Amino acid sequence: VQPARTPGQRAGLTREAVLAAARQVLTEFGLDGLSMRAVAQRLNVAPNALYSHVTNKQTLVDLLLDGVLADVDPDVATDEPRAALHALMTITYDTLLRHADLLPTYLARQGARGPNAQRLGDIVHARLRTAGVRGARADQAQHVLIIHTIGFAAFASHPNVDSDGEPGRSVTAMRRDYTTSLTWLLIGLLEAR
Amino acid sequence: VQPARTPGQRAGLTREAVLAAARQVLTEFGLDGLSMRAVAQRLNVAPNALYSHVTNKQTLVDLLLDGVLADVDPDVATDEPRAALHALMTITYDTLLRHADLLPTYLARQGARGPNAQRLGDIVHARLRTAGVRGARADQAQHVLIIHTIGFAAFASHPNVDSDGEPGRSVTAMRRDYTTSLTWLLIGLLEAR
DNA sequence: ACCTGAACACCGTTCAAGT
DNA sequence: ACCTGAACACCGTTCAAGT
C-alpha cells in the first residue's frame, strides 16, 4: 500500500518485485487467483506495466516454479551413499509440497528444466558418483529420481477424492508410498549391475 | 455442420456428444484451444447449452482425462509376472503419450482417480498378485506404478528445451529413461523382501 | 526505459425466459 | 427437460501515447 504516485512518476518495478508480488498473490488466492491483473493490482500498477519486466504469464509461472526448487537444502546428515540419496530426494519432496499451489503445473511446464532444477540435478549427480554410478547411467538416474519426485509431489498436492466421492489415500499414506517407491528405485539402481 | 435449426427446436445433445466434440476440439486446437465456447460452436449450440449435460469445464476435462486410460489394452504377450507388469505399464505409457495434449494436466486433476484409472489399478493389482505381492504392499505398488507412469508421460509430453535454450533429452531418450526406471522399480519391488 | 489508457479478442458461468 | 439471449465479471496481451 504505497502513497499514490502523481501521473508520469515511475513505479520503480523490478523483475524480482514482480515475482515477489506473484508469490504473494499465489499464497493468498491460489493458482486460480494468479492473474497478471491481480499481480499488477498488488503492485499498484496498470496490468500491462508487468510486460516491461516479464515477457508473459507463462514465463512468469516458469520462474516461480523453478524458484520452488531453490528452497531445497542439499545438506544431509549422512555420507552413506544410498541413505544420502534417499534423504536428498525426500527433502526435495517435502520442499515441493510446501509450495503445493504450484505443483499441479510443475511437470507440464518449463520449471522442471530451469536453473534450480539443473542445480539439483548436479547435486544428485555428485551423490550418484560417490555411490559408484557414472556416465550415461548417472544421467539417466539423475533424471529419473527428479521426475519421480516431482510427479509424486504433484499428485499429492491435489485434493484427494476418487470418482465415487470416497476419500482416497491420505497425505501421510502418500508420503509413505513415495518413500518406499524411492527405496525400490534405489535398490534397482544401485544393486542390479 | 448440421442444417440450421428453427427456433425452439432441440439440438439433441447428449453427454457423450459433448465429450466427443471436446475431443475433436482438443486434437484440432490443443489444450489452449479447448474452451466451452469452442466445444459449443462445434455442436452449433449456444455456449451455455453445454451446462445441461456437463456440470462445468473442470469435470468435463476430468472425464476426458479418465477416458484416455480407457484406451489401454491390458492384454500382454507374456505370462511371466515381471515381464507382464513391465509390458502393461509400458503400454500405458505409450497410450498416454498418444494423447499428449491432455497430459500436462493429468496428475493435477481428478482424471488420475477416475473409473478407468481404477480399472487399470485392478489389472495391475491382479498382475501383482500372480507375482506374489499382496495386501498393503500390493496397494502401494499399484499406486506407485501408475503415478510413476503418468508422471513420466506428463513430463515427456512437454516440448523439451532447458533454461539455456539447449535441446533437452529426446523423446526416445525419455522413453528409454522411463523403461529403465520401471525396471528398477520392479527389481526393488519384487526382489527385496 | 518505464508506465498508462484504451482497446481487442477472448473466457466460464448464471439467470430469466422460451418451447 | 433442453436450449437461447443477454449479461456479469473477469482474462492475457497489444498498441499508441506520454514522461
Side-chain angles (χ1 to χ4, degrees), chain A residues 12-24 39 42-43 50 52-54 60 63-64 66-68 70 116:
Chain A
L13 287 191
T14 62
R15 188 190 182 82
E16 251 317 313
V18 172
L19 286 173
R23 275 185 274 263
Q24 287 177 35
V39 175
R42 170 153 304 241
L43 293 162
L50 303 181
S52 298
H53 302 92
V54 143
L60 189 160
L63 291 170
L64 291 180
D66 188 66
V68 171
N116 280 302

Side-chain angles (χ1 to χ4, degrees), chain A:
Chain A
V1 196
Q2 302 283 344
R5 277 169 294 132
T6 58
Q9 199 176 355
R10 296 280 167 104
L13 287 191
T14 62
R15 188 190 182 82
E16 251 317 313
V18 172
L19 286 173
R23 275 185 274 263
Q24 287 177 35
V25 170
L26 191 65
T27 58
E28 192 161 349
F29 303 106
L31 190 58
D32 289 345
L34 180 64
S35 68
M36 298 299 268
R37 297 176 116 99
V39 175
Q41 192 177 31
R42 170 153 304 241
L43 293 162
N44 289 314
V45 136
N48 45 0
L50 303 181
Y51 291 85
S52 298
H53 302 92
V54 143
T55 55
N56 56 29
K57 186 185 176 181
Q58 264 193 2
T59 65
L60 189 160
V61 171
D62 287 341
L63 291 170
L64 291 180
L65 286 171
D66 188 66
V68 171
L69 284 181
D71 286 354
V72 174
D73 177 6
D75 295 331
V76 292
T78 175
D79 268 338
E80 198 279 307
R82 189 192 305 192
L85 275 167
H86 194 106
L88 176 60
M89 300 319 295
T90 305
I91 286 169
T92 302
Y93 178 88
D94 289 333
T95 304
L96 286 168
L97 272 191
R98 243 180 280 124
H99 302 265
D101 299 318
L102 278 171
L103 288 202
T105 52
Y106 212 125
L107 273 179
R109 291 228 42 81
Q110 217 65 306
R113 327 189 200 225
N116 280 302
Q118 282 198 14
R119 180 193 67 113
L120 178 60
D122 292 341
I123 295 166
V124 172
H125 206 90
R127 289 281 175 197
L128 285 165
R129 188 174 184 78
T130 68
V133 183
R134 354 212 134 182
R137 189 179 172 90
D139 293 341
Q140 265 195 319
Q142 163 193 339
H143 188 230
V144 164
L145 289 170
I146 292 175
I147 304 301
H148 183 80
T149 301
I150 297 179
F152 265 77
F155 187 75
S157 74
H158 189 250
N160 197 6
V161 270
D162 67 18
S163 53
D164 304 334
E166 292 170 33
R169 294 175 99 69
S170 71
V171 178
T172 58
M174 294 178 68
R175 205 191 109 105
R176 197 163 359 99
D177 291 344
Y178 169 70
T179 54
T180 65
S181 69
L182 180 56
T183 303
W184 293 340
L185 272 179
L186 291 174
I187 289 173
L189 166 63
L190 299 176
E191 290 188 7
R193 302 276 156 178

Side-chain angles (χ1 to χ4, degrees), chain B residues 1-6 9-11 43-45:
Chain B
V1 197
Q2 302 285 345
R5 277 169 293 132
T6 58
Q9 201 175 355
R10 295 279 166 103
L43 293 163
N44 288 314
V45 137

Side-chain angles (χ1 to χ4, degrees), chain B residues 132-151:
Chain B
V133 183
R134 356 211 131 180
R137 190 181 173 91
D139 293 342
Q140 264 196 319
Q142 163 194 339
H143 188 231
V144 164
L145 288 171
I146 293 175
I147 304 302
H148 183 80
T149 301
I150 297 179

Side-chain angles (χ1 to χ4, degrees), chain B residues 5 10-13 46 48-49 53:
Chain B
R5 277 169 293 132
R10 295 279 166 103
L13 288 191
N48 44 1
H53 302 93

